Amino acid sequence: NEMKGVYSSPDSLLYRAAQQATFPDNTYAKDSGGDPDAIVELTFDQFKRFHDAYYHPSNSRIFFYGDDPLEARLDLLDSYLAPFTAPATPAASRIETQAKFATPRRVVERFPASADEAAPGAPSHMVMLNWLLNEKPLSPVDELALTVLDELLMGTRTATLYKAMAESGLGAAVVGGGVSDELKQATFSVGLKGVAKEDVPKVEALALETLAAAAKDGFEADAVEAAVNTLEFQLREMNTGGFPKGLAFMLSMLPRWIYRDDEGANVADALRFEAPLAELKTKLASGEKVFEPLL
């Protein structure tokens, strides 16, 4: 029932289709919640075997936060893990790297709509452009630069790309959240919903033209300084509101922990921002084109 609800939401279907189109060759092409049409074919034995293999401590990451005694932590951990037996062959849970496409691909999907939305000429189309940004892990400096670039492009209502899309008159609302770095590889998405059929190509053209202009002309110095200051304030303040700070630290480190297996990679480096931030500032101060190559 939950997934039927998800599959009846046009926005959910849009983002699902975008992820599957961007990652057609690895696990991300599958729906983590399950396709309602496929769920009914799942047997209890299949479900149990999957759970036993993947929902097992051998496939877990365990994180402690606080200043409680280490021995107490390990005793607590042992009380949970002692009853389990490590499998002879761990579950194959590695996420494979998706190769970038040599040429753009276009995917057209249908979604449930009311009679008014489905009427001829109704502005009910949704258009989203998606890019896979990297195949190899990004350097700490590039990670920060990408965060600043995202702020310049999509971070505010006056940001270069967001403003162009929102004020174009081609759609009712902006879709696509810009940079997403929660999966193994970073992506960038932007588009509009509430688009008339004849305006669909115009949305794509506007996004590409705006990004091309940003790559050519760069950004105003004041805008770059403001975006860097925003990033630095967020990193130093680490204000998580009512969300537990320990969990926030864990979630910050989790992508590096799960996806990075290169020699010398340190999970805690995800929290160490001083050196890469200083390097980014030095590059910007020298006049180096930092953001344009990323575009």
Side-chain angles (χ1 to χ4, degrees):
N1 285 337
E2 178 185 351
M3 292 310 297
K4 282 182 178 179
V6 171
Y7 274 59
S8 66
S9 165
D11 283 17
S12 294
L13 290 174
L14 172 66
Y15 287 98
R16 170 179 171 269
Q19 179 168 307
Q20 291 178 331
T22 307
F23 296 96
D25 303 319
N26 67 15
T27 304
Y28 298 139
K30 308 298 182 182
D31 196 320
S32 61
D35 187 320
D37 291 336
I39 289 174
V40 294
E41 303 296 330
L42 181 67
T43 68
F44 179 75
D45 182 61
Q46 290 173 322
F47 177 78
K48 186 177 185 302
R49 283 191 283 110
F50 183 91
H51 184 277
D52 290 345
Y54 294 98
Y55 288 75
H56 189 279
S58 62
N59 196 39
S60 68
R61 305 293 190 276
I62 299 173
F63 178 90
F64 284 95
Y65 178 77
D67 58 358
D68 48 312
L70 178 59
E71 289 295 330
R73 293 180 182 180
L74 296 178
D75 287 341
L76 177 64
L77 202 57
D78 185 63
S79 69
Y80 281 100
L81 301 184
F84 292 91
T85 301
T89 304
S93 60
R94 176 189 174 93
I95 305 295
E96 297 300 328
T97 298
Q98 173 66 52
K100 290 183 179 182
F101 303 147
T103 56
R105 299 185 182 184
R106 187 180 303 273
V107 176
V108 178
E109 296 282 355
R110 295 184 178 274
F111 61 88
S114 67
D116 289 342
E117 291 171 328
S124 55
H125 290 261
M126 298 190 291
V127 187
M128 190 156 74
L129 288 76
N130 308 276
W131 287 268
L132 185 63
L133 300 184
N134 63 298
E135 291 180 347
K136 295 181 179 180
L138 296 167
S139 70
V141 176
D142 281 345
E143 287 179 343
L144 294 182
L146 202 56
T147 301
V148 175
L149 177 59
D150 188 45
E151 179 75 9
L152 292 166
L153 290 172
M154 296 285 290
T156 68
R157 291 185 178 276
T158 59
T160 301
L161 183 56
Y162 188 97
K163 186 175 188 294
M165 302 297 286
E167 297 182 358
S168 66
L170 296 174
V174 176
V175 295
V179 172
S180 174
D181 57 2
E182 297 176 351
L183 302 181
K184 181 178 182 180
Q185 295 162 264
T187 61
F188 185 90
S189 303
V190 67
L192 289 171
K193 64 180 180 178
V195 179
K197 181 179 181 180
E198 62 271 17
D199 289 336
V200 167
K202 298 177 185 177
V203 175
E204 180 179 352
L206 175 62
L208 295 175
E209 290 167 4
T210 305
L211 289 170
K216 177 184 176 184
D217 302 330
F219 302 92
E220 295 290 337
D222 289 348
V224 172
E225 182 180 3
V228 172
N229 288 342
T230 297
L231 171 62
E232 183 170 6
F233 179 81
Q234 291 171 344
L235 291 171
R236 295 191 185 282
E237 184 72 8
M238 193 59 183
N239 185 353
T240 60
F243 193 75
K245 186 163 288 189
L247 285 179
F249 285 138
M250 181 195 73
L251 292 173
S252 296
M253 294 189 291
L254 208 53
R256 186 179 295 263
W257 200 355
I258 294 174
Y259 304 129
R260 294 283 292 269
D261 55 6
D262 44 314
E263 187 175 350
N266 189 321
V267 173
D269 284 346
L271 303 178
R272 300 186 177 109
F273 63 85
E274 291 283 2
L277 181 61
E279 184 176 344
L280 175 61
K281 285 182 171 182
T282 298
K283 288 184 176 184
L284 291 171
S286 71
E288 181 178 338
K289 299 292 186 182
V290 173
F291 307 115
E292 290 79 353
L294 294 176
L295 287 167

